[in-house]
Amino acid sequence: MFRKILIANRGEIALRVICACKELGIRAVAIYSEADRNSLHVRFADEAICIGPPPTAKSYLNIPAVISAAEIANVDAIHPGYGLLSENANFAEVCETSGIKFIGPPPELIRLMGEKEKARGAMKKAGVPMLPGSDGIIALAEEAVEWARTIGLPVIIKASAGGGGRGMRIVRKEEDVIPLFKAAEAEAAAAFGNGSLYMEKLVEHPRHIEFQVLGDMYGNVVSLGERECSIQRRHQKLLEESPSTQVTPELRERIGGILSKTLSGLGYTNAGTVEFLMDEKRDLYFIEMNTRIQVEHPVTEMVTDVDLVKSQLLLAAGERMEAVLNGPVIHRGHAIECRINAENPDTFVPSAGKIKTFHPPGGTGVRLDTAAYAEGVIPPYYDSLIAKLVVRGKDRSEAISRMSRALDMFIIEGIFTTIPLHKRILADPDFRAGRFDTTFIERFLAKGKEAKA
Ligand code: MV4
């Protein structure tokens, strides 16, 4: 097992990794920017090293600074958390060449899954259900017209280097293919330094459902079931749950089986998330794979009782899957996570500053992952996620009641938070009935505006 690891992250996820280290008897080294001197990840780590000024480009994203800290602290491994350097294949490669284990899949797999159209090709070849689409990159706008005819309108043009919806265009009319292709190409080139595009059949009103996987170094890959992530605004998830009301045990088994076989064949190791769209016929189609631990991993932990971050550390150290999991993966009850952001709940404008009052909710079935505290300061430089409120109940109805009361008992004063928005979502009749897809939040917010006007 590792003796000491460096955590190349901040905020709640850095604390989450520290929890796993403490329980496994591993020493944790924090890195921090000048804005994070008083952060809890610095306080709870065994050692902490300041790596630079507040902007991420000069601190948490500065690979030479992170590697130097790892070398000075003499760590065995680096956990990248999510965001920041977590899906940077070059960083993973630099770690390995410096003799430091990168806690994640091999760099080649990070690179493969980062090229969305290559990931699609690899997963399709192995039998993962796929939407009709272009075979590979479309080099010219004229070829895009041919593909749109073959696939059938409406289609969606996507950036191969993409993510977060940038470089994406929906096309409904043939005459729009060329101009929208050119617009997507320019946007992708500007955003990612790579204008490569591919095309897929458009799924109208999709649900976003993702599967959690874990792999060991001996070819064993297991699926831990799905998370329903359709409640999103501008590609930022607001609330996630598990299980999905739309996934039957049979579907969960079938997709899980396909994923373990496919990812084992690709040599996948450590934690990963496979994203699918579900259409109105309840069929699932692969869209992309994330090679990191995700923000919403606690909902899977709550229903499976598997500690995913501990599992990451054990698997990266070479433990076998059967030693990491305590028997077969069982799904019990229902979990919901609300992402609490330091934002105005009506305008979504970030709200940095000092927290004056902080009262965390507790009680049966309630988990709070946060690095926030009373008198603590939320700096303006980073992601606005400040807490993840997660509940488990015996069923979806109990989880919803429990989340509502936990939100009522969560007090944060001094900054704006999205707590009031979550209270309203939990009270929505369509949400409560499980009647929603990725277009839910837009209608929900429009209703709210009308009510106020
Ligand atoms: C799609 C789609 C419909 N059809 N692909 C958006 C981000 C990117 N990761 C994938 N996305 C989508 N891909 C096909 N073929 C609709 C979306 C989409 C979406 C997906 C998941 C969650 C929220 C979304 C919001 C708008 C569009």
Side-chain angles (χ1 to χ4, degrees):
M1 199 30 189
F2 303 130
R3 183 185 51 84
K4 193 185 198 184
I5 73 161
L6 180 136
I7 300 161
N9 216 300
R10 62 180 302 282
E12 69 84 20
I13 194 63
L15 283 196
R16 174 68 191 85
V17 179
I18 291 174
C19 291
C21 288
K22 285 185 180 287
E23 292 183 21
L24 289 170
I26 300 168
R27 286 179 65 80
V29 179
I31 55 171
Y32 63 96
S33 74
E34 285 161 17
D36 279 339
R37 220 168 265 287
N38 298 315
S39 296
L40 290 185
H41 76 287
V42 172
R43 192 136 153 188
F44 291 135
D46 296 290
E47 296 170 40
I49 300 172
C50 182
I51 55 158
T56 52
K58 297 195 160 173
S59 52
Y60 299 104
L61 288 176
N62 180 348
I63 295 177
V66 176
I67 297 289
S68 299
E71 282 175 340
I72 289 164
N74 191 26
V75 299
D76 306 316
I78 296 182
H79 193 303
Y82 53 67
L84 299 177
L85 296 170
S86 63
E87 293 181 287
N88 185 317
N90 296 331
F91 176 66
E93 235 159 42
V94 174
C95 289
E96 311 275 275
T97 58
S98 309
I100 301 163
K101 175 72 192 161
F102 175 82
I103 300 170
E108 313 84 73
L109 275 132
I110 300 176
R111 199 166 280 125
L112 172 70
M113 297 306 174
E115 296 178 59
K116 305 295 154 70
E117 140 287 333
K118 282 218 184 87
R120 201 174 179 278
M123 299 292 268
K124 184 181 174 183
K125 211 171 97 190
V128 178
M130 203 71 51
L131 290 161
S134 60
D135 298 322
I137 299 296
I138 306 173
L140 302 166
E142 292 70 30
E143 290 171 39
V145 179
E146 289 305 309
W147 275 117
R149 282 192 191 131
T150 307
I151 297 163
L153 292 167
V155 297
I156 184 165
I157 296 168
K158 295 184 176 184
S160 187
R166 274 192 299 182
M168 232 173 63
R169 290 291 185 284
I170 291 170
V171 188
R172 299 185 181 278
K173 299 200 296 269
E174 191 166 311
E175 63 264 35
D176 292 341
V177 175
I178 290 178
L180 290 174
F181 182 94
K182 288 182 174 162
E185 191 171 42
E187 193 173 305
F192 315 114
N194 173 358
S196 299
L197 303 176
Y198 64 106
M199 188 185 286
E200 276 175 2
K201 180 81 189 164
L202 178 75
V203 181
E204 310 261 20
H205 294 274
R207 283 181 178 251
H208 179 183
I209 294 175
E210 58 188 29
F211 279 70
Q212 176 71 53
V213 298
L214 286 175
D216 70 11
M217 290 171 177
Y218 316 97
N220 304 297
V221 179
V222 298
S223 165
L224 290 98
E226 81 284 1
R227 295 184 287 259
E228 160 65 68
C229 302
S230 297
I231 309 293
Q232 314 203 355
R233 179 187 168 269
R234 299 195 183 166
H235 306 292
Q236 294 292 326
K237 294 168 188 155
L238 299 175
L239 177 157
E240 307 91 354
E241 59 182 300
S242 185
S244 165
T245 59
Q246 304 308 110
V247 175
T248 61
E250 295 70 42
L251 180 56
R252 182 176 304 122
E253 279 295 306
R254 187 165 68 78
I255 298 293
I258 293 171
L259 293 180
S260 44
K261 184 171 61 83
T262 301
L263 293 169
S264 168
L266 290 173
Y268 197 85
T269 62
N270 218 270
T273 298
V274 186
E275 296 189 359
F276 292 87
L277 294 181
M278 181 183 265
D279 67 7
E280 279 158 338
K281 284 161 51 194
R282 292 200 191 178
D283 285 326
L284 287 171
Y285 297 99
F286 171 84
I287 49 168
E288 45 194 81
M289 178 163 191
N290 304 317
T291 56
R292 60 176 189 274
I293 190 79
Q294 298 214 175
V295 173
E296 61 273 23
H297 75 276
V299 302
T300 300
E301 296 187 321
M302 296 287 259
V303 295
T304 61
D305 243 339
V306 173
D307 185 320
L308 291 169
V309 179
K310 260 196 209 176
S311 300
Q312 283 193 290
L313 298 173
L314 293 165
L315 292 166
E319 290 284 345
R320 298 189 70 93
M321 192 63 73
E322 67 227 44
V324 171
L325 300 177
N326 33 343
V329 177
I330 299 162
H331 301 264
R332 257 175 68 100
H334 197 99
I336 304 178
E337 169 178 283
C338 287
R339 296 190 185 194
I340 314 298
N341 288 346
E343 289 171 2
N344 181 307
D346 299 314
T347 62
F348 299 96
V349 171
S351 176
K354 190 178 202 158
I355 295 173
K356 297 290 183 204
T357 314
F358 190 82
H359 176 268
T364 303
V366 176
R367 164 176 173 179
L368 185 66
D369 282 22
T370 186
Y373 59 98
E375 306 291 316
V377 172
I378 306 300
Y381 309 100
Y382 312 111
D383 191 273
S384 65
L385 180 79
I386 56 164
K388 303 187 311 202
L389 180 56
V390 194
V391 303
R392 188 192 166 283
K394 65 177 189 295
D395 54 24
R396 187 167 188 268
S397 166
E398 188 177 65
I400 290 173
S401 308
R402 189 161 278 163
M403 181 59 87
S404 300
R405 74 91 177 148
L407 288 164
D408 285 342
M409 299 175 85
F410 199 171
I411 302 171
I412 302 177
E413 287 168 347
I415 57 167
F416 284 112
T417 77
T418 51
I419 291 172
L421 171 70
H422 285 294
K423 289 183 188 173
R424 292 202 288 122
I425 295 172
L426 271 285
D428 183 88
D430 286 332
F431 175 76
R432 293 177 86 97
R435 279 191 303 264
F436 57 82
D437 57 51
T438 54
T439 64
F440 168 88
I441 213 70
E442 208 178 329
R443 279 189 310 278
F444 172 86
L445 293 174
K447 272 190 291 182
K449 282 226 173 87
E450 240 171 73
K452 275 193 183 167

Short mmCIF file of all heavy atoms in Angstrom, two decimals, residues 131 156 158 164-165 168 200-203 206 208 232 235 275 277 287-288 438, ligand 1:
data_model
loop_
_atom_site.label_atom_id
_atom_site.label_comp_id
_atom_site.label_asym_id
_atom_site.label_seq_id
_atom_site.Cartn_x
_atom_site.Cartn_y
_atom_site.Cartn_z
N LEU A 131 -25.49 5.43 -30.94
CA LEU A 131 -26.38 6.11 -31.89
C LEU A 131 -25.78 6.03 -33.29
O LEU A 131 -24.56 5.96 -33.43
CB LEU A 131 -26.53 7.59 -31.51
CG LEU A 131 -27.31 7.86 -30.23
CD1 LEU A 131 -26.98 9.26 -29.72
CD2 LEU A 131 -28.80 7.70 -30.47
N ILE A 156 -26.68 16.01 -34.59
CA ILE A 156 -25.92 16.92 -33.73
C ILE A 156 -24.46 16.82 -34.14
O ILE A 156 -23.94 15.72 -34.35
CB ILE A 156 -26.19 16.62 -32.23
CG1 ILE A 156 -25.50 17.61 -31.30
CG2 ILE A 156 -25.83 15.19 -31.88
CD1 ILE A 156 -26.04 17.55 -29.86
N LYS A 158 -20.63 17.49 -33.07
CA LYS A 158 -19.91 17.60 -31.80
C LYS A 158 -18.40 17.74 -32.03
O LYS A 158 -17.87 17.20 -33.00
CB LYS A 158 -20.14 16.35 -30.94
CG LYS A 158 -21.57 16.16 -30.49
CD LYS A 158 -21.69 14.95 -29.58
CE LYS A 158 -23.11 14.83 -29.05
NZ LYS A 158 -23.23 13.72 -28.07
N GLY A 164 -18.73 19.86 -22.11
CA GLY A 164 -19.41 21.07 -21.66
C GLY A 164 -20.24 21.75 -22.72
O GLY A 164 -20.62 22.90 -22.56
N GLY A 165 -20.53 21.02 -23.80
CA GLY A 165 -21.44 21.56 -24.82
C GLY A 165 -20.80 22.53 -25.79
O GLY A 165 -21.46 22.99 -26.72
N MET A 168 -20.70 22.39 -30.11
CA MET A 168 -21.82 21.50 -30.41
C MET A 168 -22.91 22.28 -31.16
O MET A 168 -23.20 23.41 -30.81
CB MET A 168 -22.41 21.00 -29.08
CG MET A 168 -22.55 19.52 -28.96
SD MET A 168 -23.06 19.03 -27.30
CE MET A 168 -24.65 19.79 -27.17
N GLU A 200 -23.69 12.84 -34.86
CA GLU A 200 -24.55 11.78 -34.34
C GLU A 200 -26.00 12.10 -34.62
O GLU A 200 -26.36 13.27 -34.76
CB GLU A 200 -24.43 11.71 -32.79
CG GLU A 200 -23.28 10.91 -32.27
CD GLU A 200 -23.19 11.01 -30.74
OE1 GLU A 200 -24.03 11.67 -30.09
OE2 GLU A 200 -22.24 10.43 -30.21
N LYS A 201 -26.83 11.08 -34.64
CA LYS A 201 -28.28 11.27 -34.65
C LYS A 201 -28.66 12.02 -33.37
O LYS A 201 -28.13 11.73 -32.30
CB LYS A 201 -28.97 9.89 -34.67
CG LYS A 201 -30.47 9.94 -34.69
CD LYS A 201 -31.00 10.19 -36.08
CE LYS A 201 -32.51 10.45 -36.06
NZ LYS A 201 -32.93 11.06 -37.35
N LEU A 202 -29.55 13.01 -33.47
CA LEU A 202 -29.98 13.76 -32.29
C LEU A 202 -31.02 12.96 -31.51
O LEU A 202 -31.98 12.44 -32.09
CB LEU A 202 -30.60 15.10 -32.73
CG LEU A 202 -31.13 15.97 -31.57
CD1 LEU A 202 -29.98 16.63 -30.82
CD2 LEU A 202 -32.11 17.02 -32.07
N VAL A 203 -30.84 12.89 -30.20
CA VAL A 203 -31.88 12.34 -29.31
C VAL A 203 -32.65 13.54 -28.75
O VAL A 203 -32.05 14.39 -28.09
CB VAL A 203 -31.27 11.51 -28.16
CG1 VAL A 203 -32.38 10.95 -27.27
CG2 VAL A 203 -30.38 10.40 -28.68
N PRO A 206 -33.52 13.93 -24.21
CA PRO A 206 -32.84 12.78 -23.59
C PRO A 206 -32.75 12.90 -22.08
O PRO A 206 -32.79 14.00 -21.52
CB PRO A 206 -31.44 12.85 -24.21
CG PRO A 206 -31.21 14.31 -24.45
CD PRO A 206 -32.57 14.88 -24.80
N HIS A 208 -29.97 12.01 -19.09
CA HIS A 208 -28.53 11.75 -18.97
C HIS A 208 -28.32 10.75 -17.84
O HIS A 208 -28.58 11.07 -16.68
CB HIS A 208 -27.79 13.06 -18.69
CG HIS A 208 -26.31 12.89 -18.54
ND1 HIS A 208 -25.46 13.92 -18.22
CD2 HIS A 208 -25.53 11.81 -18.67
CE1 HIS A 208 -24.22 13.46 -18.16
NE2 HIS A 208 -24.24 12.18 -18.42
N GLN A 232 -29.79 19.39 -15.03
CA GLN A 232 -28.60 20.18 -15.34
C GLN A 232 -29.00 21.53 -15.89
O GLN A 232 -30.01 21.65 -16.55
CB GLN A 232 -27.79 19.54 -16.47
CG GLN A 232 -27.53 18.08 -16.39
CD GLN A 232 -26.31 17.69 -17.20
OE1 GLN A 232 -25.71 18.51 -17.89
NE2 GLN A 232 -25.91 16.45 -17.09
N HIS A 235 -25.10 22.56 -18.88
CA HIS A 235 -24.13 21.47 -18.73
C HIS A 235 -23.49 21.39 -17.34
O HIS A 235 -22.51 20.70 -17.14
CB HIS A 235 -23.06 21.52 -19.83
CG HIS A 235 -23.67 21.56 -21.20
ND1 HIS A 235 -24.35 20.48 -21.73
CD2 HIS A 235 -23.77 22.55 -22.11
CE1 HIS A 235 -24.82 20.82 -22.92
NE2 HIS A 235 -24.49 22.07 -23.19
N GLU A 275 -20.94 7.68 -19.78
CA GLU A 275 -22.16 8.49 -19.95
C GLU A 275 -23.01 7.97 -21.10
O GLU A 275 -22.49 7.67 -22.18
CB GLU A 275 -21.79 9.94 -20.27
CG GLU A 275 -21.05 10.67 -19.19
CD GLU A 275 -20.89 12.15 -19.48
OE1 GLU A 275 -21.36 12.62 -20.54
OE2 GLU A 275 -20.30 12.83 -18.64
N LEU A 277 -27.04 8.56 -23.12
CA LEU A 277 -28.32 9.26 -23.26
C LEU A 277 -29.39 8.19 -23.31
O LEU A 277 -29.20 7.14 -23.93
CB LEU A 277 -28.36 10.08 -24.55
CG LEU A 277 -27.40 11.27 -24.65
CD1 LEU A 277 -27.60 11.98 -25.98
CD2 LEU A 277 -27.57 12.23 -23.48
N ILE A 287 -22.44 8.06 -25.00
CA ILE A 287 -21.94 9.32 -25.57
C ILE A 287 -20.47 9.58 -25.27
O ILE A 287 -19.71 9.90 -26.13
CB ILE A 287 -22.81 10.57 -25.27
CG1 ILE A 287 -23.17 10.71 -23.81
CG2 ILE A 287 -24.03 10.61 -26.18
CD1 ILE A 287 -23.78 12.09 -23.48
N GLU A 288 -20.06 9.43 -24.01
CA GLU A 288 -18.64 9.63 -23.72
C GLU A 288 -18.24 8.98 -22.40
O GLU A 288 -19.10 8.54 -21.64
CB GLU A 288 -18.26 11.12 -23.73
CG GLU A 288 -19.20 12.05 -23.01
CD GLU A 288 -18.93 13.52 -23.37
OE1 GLU A 288 -19.39 14.00 -24.42
OE2 GLU A 288 -18.27 14.17 -22.58
N THR A 438 -33.36 16.12 -19.67
CA THR A 438 -32.34 17.18 -19.61
C THR A 438 -32.92 18.57 -19.93
O THR A 438 -32.23 19.57 -19.71
CB THR A 438 -31.18 16.90 -20.59
OG1 THR A 438 -31.73 16.69 -21.89
CG2 THR A 438 -30.40 15.66 -20.17
C1 MV4 B 1 -26.41 14.78 -27.34
C2 MV4 B 1 -27.74 15.25 -27.17
C3 MV4 B 1 -28.70 14.74 -28.03
N1 MV4 B 1 -28.36 13.84 -28.99
N2 MV4 B 1 -26.14 13.89 -28.30
C4 MV4 B 1 -24.37 17.75 -24.22
C5 MV4 B 1 -23.00 17.71 -23.62
C6 MV4 B 1 -22.31 16.55 -24.22
N3 MV4 B 1 -21.49 15.90 -23.27
C7 MV4 B 1 -23.40 15.69 -24.77
N4 MV4 B 1 -24.56 16.50 -24.87
C8 MV4 B 1 -25.65 16.12 -25.59
N5 MV4 B 1 -25.43 15.21 -26.55
C9 MV4 B 1 -27.10 13.43 -29.10
N6 MV4 B 1 -26.79 12.57 -30.05
C10 MV4 B 1 -28.00 16.17 -26.16
C11 MV4 B 1 -26.95 16.61 -25.36
C12 MV4 B 1 -27.32 17.55 -24.32
C13 MV4 B 1 -27.24 17.18 -22.98
C14 MV4 B 1 -26.75 15.94 -22.60
C15 MV4 B 1 -26.66 15.60 -21.28
C16 MV4 B 1 -27.09 16.48 -20.31
C17 MV4 B 1 -27.56 17.73 -20.64
C18 MV4 B 1 -27.65 18.09 -21.97
C19 MV4 B 1 -28.13 19.35 -22.33
C20 MV4 B 1 -28.21 19.69 -23.65
C21 MV4 B 1 -27.78 18.79 -24.65
#
